[in-house]
Amino acid sequence: MRNVLAILLDCLPLILLTTGIVIISVGVFMFNTILGLIVTGVMLVAVALMLAYRKGDDY
């Protein structure tokens, strides 16, 4: 049980980030489809850059 809790706590920022992106994307898509695509693309690029910097790559 402690191992599962430790894994969930380690993954909590990623879970919150993913949930936030989904909620923002759905909200923008409800407002406007084209704007939803743009916002979702920008957020995915931002996540990719954050993961690359965390990994240690130079972009």
Side-chain angles (χ1 to χ4, degrees):
M1 184 67 180
R2 286 183 176 254
N3 290 338
V4 173
L5 186 59
I7 292 171
L8 284 176
L9 286 177
D10 286 342
C11 294
L12 186 63
L14 181 61
I15 293 168
L16 290 175
L17 178 69
T18 305
T19 305
I21 288 174
V22 168
I23 290 172
I24 291 171
S25 295
V26 168
V28 174
F29 267 107
M30 290 173 68
F31 181 68
N32 187 348
T33 305
I34 295 173
L35 191 59
L37 289 172
I38 293 170
V39 169
T40 303
V42 169
M43 286 194 292
L44 289 175
V45 169
V47 169
L49 288 174
M50 286 189 310
L51 291 175
Y53 284 132
R54 183 176 178 208
K55 186 177 176 184
D57 296 339
D58 293 328
Y59 291 106

